[in-house]
Each structure stands twice: as C-alpha cells, then as structure tokens.
Amino acid sequence: QVKLLQSGAELKKPEASVRLSCKASGYTFTGYYLHWVRQAPGQGFEWMGIINPNGGRASYAQKFQGRVTMTRDTSTSTVYMELSSLRSDDTGFYYCARARVPEMAFDLWGQGSLVTVSS
Amino acid sequence: DIVMTQSPASLAVSLGERATLNCTSSESVLYSSNNRNFLAWYQQKARQPPTLLMYWASTRESGVPDRFSGSGSGTDFTLTISSLQAEDVAVYYCQQYYSTPQTFGQGTRLEIK
C-alpha cells in the first residue's frame, strides 16, 4: 500500500525544537520529492519546503529559513523535518506530501502530525 | 508570492444540485511553453489530510468521481460538482504550484442545504 506515515503528536515549550518524521512505503522513495506543509488550527495551508530524497537537497520557504531543516534517510525511506525556536503560532498540523517533480501537485499526503507549542 | 483567493468562503447546496467553487490567483499560473495551468484542487474532510482532486486545473486524479470537474485558465479557475452527494461535504482548497513558495487559497467550506 502506498502511504506516508508520520510521527505522533508533540507537545513542546516555546523556544524548543521539534523533529517530525515521514516514512514512505509502497513506492520508490527516491522517485518522488517530499514537501512539508503546515496548517494552523482552522486555517489554510502554508508551504514550508521541499526535499529531494535522491541526493537529499532541500529548499525552504523564506519565512522558515534558519529555523527549519529537512533531511532524509534512504535506508529507512524516511524524511525528517526539524523546526527550531518554536513559538505559540507554530501550533498546528504538519503534513508531508509527495510530488513527482517540484512543479507538480501533491498526489499523496501523510496523515499529519500535531505540534502544540505551549508553556 | 502568488496570492490565491477562494470564493465563497462557505457554500450550502442541496443534494443532487450543482456546486460551483471559485479560485483566483494574483498572477497567471499558465505556463506558456506547455500551455498548462499549474493549479490543483484538494478536498479535506473533517479530521483528515487533504486528497488531490484535480491537477493542471482540469485533469481529474485517478479514482475521483466524474461529477467533479475543473475549468479556467490564467488567473481564474472553477471547481464544479455537478450533482452534490453527502460524501462531498468538506473544505476545498486550490493551490498554485507555478512558483515557489507554492500557495493555497483559504478554502471553501461546502455543506448540505
């Protein structure tokens, strides 16, 4: 079965960091790019960045430059997204989503990981 | 960044009736070299991740019922559900993937009247 399985919910304090995972299965891991997108409570989607599992090159939205790092582990078909210096407005669902090339729609999404930032 | 604006914010339609959802981009998302609009539509049901409905503005994703159709070009796009079914209750989002950062509309919430 083709799917993206994300890690569980996280509760973090302000200024902490969070590392989320997204494990791919049922398809060739290096054949698709993976995006990270977040959704604040009751809001729309915000694109955070993209990683190419074939080589590991990542590109980030300007808003998150310096705070986000995306990596991959080809041995486990998993991508990771680490966000640092967390603030309360980072609270929301974080999704990984795949695309065949960067300039294509997202044809498969993970189930989402809820990150709550609260003191 | 390209700003995506959806209208209406919410819509109530009777079962079996047509639903029309609109999406406007602040810049054209039509790539002239291949005449493709870099525009997608997603459906998000309650407490679920989004699923892809349409890409290239008018190409239906595999498995999507043919009551869903997409149209438009350049900056103005429409998602039409020809005969609303109960399972279509969801929030619908448009997305441009023409340029980075990829951006989404704020969504249209579709309900049964």
Side-chain angles (χ1 to χ4, degrees), chain A residues 53-110:
Chain A
N54 186 10
R57 181 173 180 176
S59 175
Y60 308 127
Q62 188 170 6
K63 174 177 179 176
F64 298 101
Q65 288 277 0
R67 271 210 311 148
V68 69
T69 304
M70 297 178 188
T71 57
R72 96 301 187 210
D73 181 345
T74 55
S75 69
T76 60
S77 298
T78 302
V79 298
Y80 299 91
M81 190 281 295
E82 183 168 12
L83 187 64
S84 62
S85 302
L86 290 169
R87 307 183 290 256
S88 59
D89 62 359
D90 290 317
T91 293
F93 275 93
Y94 289 72
Y95 295 96
C96 59
R98 78 169 194 182
R100 175 67 80 171
V101 297
E103 304 82 13
M104 284 191 72
F106 305 165
D107 69 345
L108 179 68
W109 294 62

Side-chain angles (χ1 to χ4, degrees), chain B:
Chain B
D1 299 359
I2 297 178
V3 176
M4 307 300 291
T5 303
Q6 291 186 242
S7 63
S10 63
L11 180 63
V13 174
S14 301
L15 289 172
E17 296 299 305
R18 178 184 299 264
T20 302
L21 290 67
N22 302 299
C23 174
T24 300
S25 58
S26 61
E27 303 171 27
S28 175
V29 298
L30 173 63
Y31 192 42
S32 56
S33 67
N34 60 11
N35 203 36
R36 284 181 165 176
N37 288 280
F38 284 53
L39 189 285
W41 289 94
Y42 298 89
Q43 177 190 65
Q44 186 179 32
K45 296 184 178 180
R47 296 173 298 280
Q48 295 183 23
T51 57
L52 178 63
L53 292 175
M54 313 289 300
Y55 56 97
W56 304 132
S58 60
T59 301
R60 202 177 299 115
E61 173 71 337
S62 175
V64 173
D66 61 7
R67 64 179 180 273
F68 290 89
S69 63
S71 63
S73 185
T75 61
D76 294 290
F77 300 91
T78 300
L79 176 70
T80 302
I81 308 172
S82 60
S83 176
L84 189 70
Q85 305 300 304
E87 61 265 31
D88 300 334
V89 169
V91 181
Y92 293 82
Y93 294 93
C94 61
Q95 174 213 23
Q96 67 80 19
Y97 47 97
Y98 180 86
S99 67
T100 298
Q102 302 191 13
T103 49
F104 294 78
Q106 284 301 103
T108 292
R109 183 176 301 276
L110 181 58
E111 300 172 336
I112 305 295
K113 184 187 292 183

Side-chain angles (χ1 to χ4, degrees), chain A residues 21-71:
Chain A
S21 66
C22 170
K23 182 175 175 59
S25 60
Y27 71 93
T28 301
F29 177 61
T30 53
Y32 289 79
Y33 289 73
L34 279 161
H35 298 261
W36 285 90
V37 175
R38 74 178 187 181
Q39 185 177 34
Q43 302 298 312
F45 297 97
E46 184 172 34
W47 183 82
M48 300 181 68
I50 182 174
I51 184 168
N52 182 357
N54 186 10
R57 181 173 180 176
S59 175
Y60 308 127
Q62 188 170 6
K63 174 177 179 176
F64 298 101
Q65 288 277 0
R67 271 210 311 148
V68 69
T69 304
M70 297 178 188
T71 57

